[in-house]
Amino acid sequence: MRKPFIAGNWKMNMTHIEAIQFFDDFKFNYENKNNCEVAFCPPFTAIRSVGTVIEGDKIDIKLGAQNMYFEESGAYTGEVSPIMLKALNVEYVILGHSERREIFNEKDEDINKKIKAAFNNELKPILCVGEQLEIRESGKAEDYVLGQLDNCLKDIEEKNIGLLTIAYEPIWAIGTGKTATSDDANNMCKAIRKKLANLYNEDVAEKVRIQYGGSVKPHNITELMAKSDIDGALVGGASLKADDFLAIINY
Ligand code: 13P
């Protein structure tokens, strides 16, 4: 049985002060009826503050980051290393988000290096994959997403794969209010799991959690989570509002 995993990706929102204020509200109403694993991925500048709040108040929430560089230290102005994240008790790191691919030109090869660096430093990657609208409309979405997996997982050892989360985020559904239908999302998640079984084996494929991301809201989470191969959600906009995120966790 895969434990449901709901993660909030705050993107470039929330100063560390706003983050602390968010938790003042969130922690009093925190409830987790479905016993999900819950994580927040704040921007780098708020990670320490969020970590201090969740440790201090003993809230059962995991810390994640939204990106990192693949080198451990050195002359890489502006970058943040896996060692730095680990020192802040970060457990998860989102890698290959479509905004990083599209705006910052990250390639599958870079993401592959980052996944290796995450595992070398005992961080658990949340690997994002997903197609553009033109690709979906041309009927080639599955080939495209499975190709991303081939490249991003190149030479990743089987012993680590059970610690990987994959987030299927169709780019046309991010921040647009358009969600993939739950059947389309589930079909892609199934195809991803089958690919993992081909690349590794059935046992490992059954362990990996696959999230859906793209306009997840309180009104659509229940239907998504009822699907066979959707094990959680990577939530953008709705994770910035305590009430909405709580409703999503307690779908
Ligand atoms: P929205 O939930 O705002 O569509 O963002 C999804 C996303 O990109 C999460 O990583």
Side-chain angles (χ1 to χ4, degrees), residues 9 11 97 99 169 173-176 213-217 234-238:
N9 172 11
K11 307 192 178 183
H97 192 281
E99 287 148 17
E169 301 204 305
I174 296 178
T176 57
S215 299
V216 172
K217 306 287 176 204
L234 186 56
V235 185

Side-chain angles (χ1 to χ4, degrees), residues 26 29-31 241-251:
F26 186 85
N29 297 310
Y30 185 53
E31 205 192 350
K241 297 183 200 130
D243 289 354
D244 281 358
F245 197 56
L246 283 163
I248 290 172
I249 295 166
N250 294 292
Y251 59 89

Side-chain angles (χ1 to χ4, degrees), residues 97-165:
H97 192 281
S98 60
E99 287 148 17
R100 298 225 48 93
R101 292 173 186 263
E102 299 226 310
I103 305 169
F104 302 101
N105 208 22
E106 270 188 30
K107 302 284 177 238
D108 286 345
E109 295 67 36
D110 306 312
I111 298 156
N112 175 252
K113 287 184 192 159
K114 291 182 179 194
I115 296 173
K116 288 176 185 158
F119 284 133
N120 285 339
N121 288 281
E122 295 175 349
L123 292 163
K124 297 176 188 161
I126 301 175
L127 165 63
C128 299
V129 292
E131 79 285 358
Q132 292 88 344
L133 186 60
E134 314 83 80
I135 295 178
R136 162 80 32 188
E137 286 173 344
S138 71
K140 298 202 173 99
E142 203 173 294
D143 286 350
Y144 182 81
V145 167
L146 301 185
Q148 287 181 317
L149 278 186
D150 264 330
N151 297 334
C152 293
L153 296 181
K154 191 164 180 286
D155 302 326
I156 305 286
E157 291 175 82
E158 181 185 320
K159 70 172 182 2
N160 288 323
I161 291 294
L163 298 172
L164 176 74
T165 299

Side-chain angles (χ1 to χ4, degrees), residues 25-90:
D25 184 21
F26 186 85
K27 71 186 179 199
F28 285 114
N29 297 310
Y30 185 53
E31 205 192 350
N32 187 352
K33 288 195 290 207
N34 302 312
N35 194 27
C36 297
E37 187 161 5
V38 178
F40 277 93
C41 305
F44 291 131
T45 50
I47 289 179
R48 172 106 165 112
S49 303
V50 172
T52 304
V53 172
I54 60 185
E55 276 165 36
D57 290 319
K58 299 196 168 40
I59 320 174
D60 187 15
I61 283 174
K62 307 287 178 56
L63 254 190
Q66 300 173 17
N67 181 33
M68 62 171 210
Y69 195 51
F70 50 78
E71 295 289 353
E72 296 190 345
S73 64
Y76 304 102
T77 300
E79 293 295 318
V80 168
S81 85
I83 293 177
M84 293 168 183
L85 297 180
K86 194 68 194 165
L88 291 171
N89 292 329
V90 167

